[in-house]
Amino acid sequence: MRRRRGRMRKRRAAIKTLCSVLGSVALGCAVWLALILAFLFDPYEPPGPPKIVEDHGMSYTLEEWQQLQEEKAAYEAEEAARQQEELERMQKVQEAGNSRISETRKLTEIRSLDWSGEESYMLARIAMAEAEGEGTEGKALVILVVLNRVWDEEFPDSIEEVISQDGQFTSYWDGRYDEAAPDEECWEALRMIQVDKWDESQGATYFRSSSDESTWHSRNLQELFTHGNHTFYKEADK
């Protein structure tokens, strides 16, 4: 009886071992089968055409668009460095002419020459935008018209406000001012005014392209003189 029970226990243990081995084999087969199926049914698709980027009405591949962005960033950095260099240059010009003179209302005098480097750049820019082909003196006269307005009670009290005043300087409103890059003549014109105290404006507060036709300027203002392609005016009662 005892021998029979011992044989039964051994048989059960053998069966358990066999089941464990068969289970391991089945699991291994299932894993291999899953790997084979994954390989056979891999959802890989060959790369399609490059992605297209639409920008300002133009179509670019993603690589082309990224290259354009890099070139744009490099240009903007170069332009910012150039403008900073010009501002620093004008600050040196301003330092050379830092003496102050009496602030009178006489037309033959330059009154306050106390403006910042940023305002110097604005003056050089408006001179370039309005008088690009008018030489150094022509550019200086445009700058003086701006300054004469600053010094005149009928106009705003700052250089920026005079230049940006609604409907006054055409180049400011048609975009030329934003695109203008002052040349050497612009900086020389500023130096003439600030350092040499040059003023041949006769107090002009207006100018326009010379013309034989009747204009608002010729009908309502006092004509002073013509320089190059510009005729300069002031209020008739001044």
Side-chain angles (χ1 to χ4, degrees):
M1 187 71 175
R2 289 181 178 177
R3 290 179 180 177
R4 186 176 181 181
R5 291 176 178 173
R7 286 196 297 271
M8 291 294 289
R9 284 195 294 270
K10 289 180 180 179
R11 192 175 297 170
R12 291 192 189 101
I15 291 171
K16 288 182 179 179
T17 300
L18 179 60
C19 290
S20 177
V21 170
L22 290 175
S24 298
V25 170
L27 179 61
C29 289
V31 171
W32 278 105
L33 180 60
L35 292 174
I36 292 170
L37 291 173
F39 177 77
L40 291 176
F41 297 99
D42 185 0
Y44 170 78
E45 296 181 0
K51 293 183 178 179
I52 301 299
V53 178
E54 298 290 338
D55 188 12
H56 292 85
M58 300 291 290
S59 297
Y60 305 93
T61 65
L62 183 59
E63 181 178 351
E64 290 173 339
W65 185 80
Q66 290 174 339
Q67 183 177 356
L68 284 173
Q69 296 308 303
E70 292 174 359
E71 292 175 353
K72 179 182 177 182
Y75 171 79
E76 289 176 347
E78 182 180 345
E79 181 67 12
R82 185 188 64 77
Q83 292 185 8
Q84 181 62 32
E85 182 179 347
E86 290 180 347
L87 284 173
E88 292 174 354
R89 177 180 177 182
M90 279 312 305
Q91 286 172 350
K92 292 180 180 179
V93 171
Q94 183 178 354
E95 291 171 0
N98 59 2
S99 61
R100 300 294 182 265
I101 63 174
S102 174
E103 293 187 12
T104 68
R105 303 302 293 178
K106 297 179 181 178
L107 297 177
T108 56
E109 292 183 3
I110 296 295
R111 281 147 283 194
S112 172
L113 298 180
D114 186 15
W115 59 72
S116 67
E118 184 177 0
E119 289 173 323
S120 295
Y121 186 70
M122 292 178 188
L123 291 170
R125 207 169 190 180
I126 194 68
M128 189 66 180
E130 293 284 351
E132 181 174 356
E134 296 298 314
T136 302
E137 289 191 3
K139 292 179 172 67
L141 288 170
V142 168
I143 293 172
L144 284 164
V145 167
V146 174
L147 295 176
N148 287 341
R149 289 190 174 197
V150 173
W151 300 324
D152 192 310
E153 295 178 355
E154 300 298 322
F155 295 92
D157 296 330
S158 73
I159 290 170
E160 181 177 7
E161 290 174 327
V162 164
I163 291 174
S164 62
Q165 188 177 9
D166 187 25
Q168 297 302 305
F169 290 94
T170 303
S171 66
Y172 185 86
W173 297 101
D174 67 9
R176 290 203 311 276
Y177 175 85
D178 292 330
E179 299 173 357
D183 61 10
E184 187 66 27
E185 289 180 342
C186 296
W187 303 120
E188 178 60 19
L190 271 172
R191 191 200 66 79
M192 285 170 52
I193 295 169
Q194 196 167 39
V195 178
D196 297 339
K197 311 300 186 293
W198 185 89
D199 184 4
E200 299 294 335
S201 70
Q202 300 180 34
T205 49
Y206 297 86
F207 68 90
R208 62 160 289 120
S209 297
S210 300
S211 172
D212 294 330
E213 298 178 1
S214 176
T215 64
W216 179 89
H217 292 73
S218 63
R219 292 191 302 271
N220 296 277
L221 301 172
Q222 177 185 341
E223 182 177 329
L224 298 174
F225 61 94
T226 297
H227 184 283
N229 293 320
H230 285 152
T231 301
F232 293 80
Y233 304 83
K234 68 176 182 178
E235 294 288 348
D237 59 346
K238 293 185 179 181

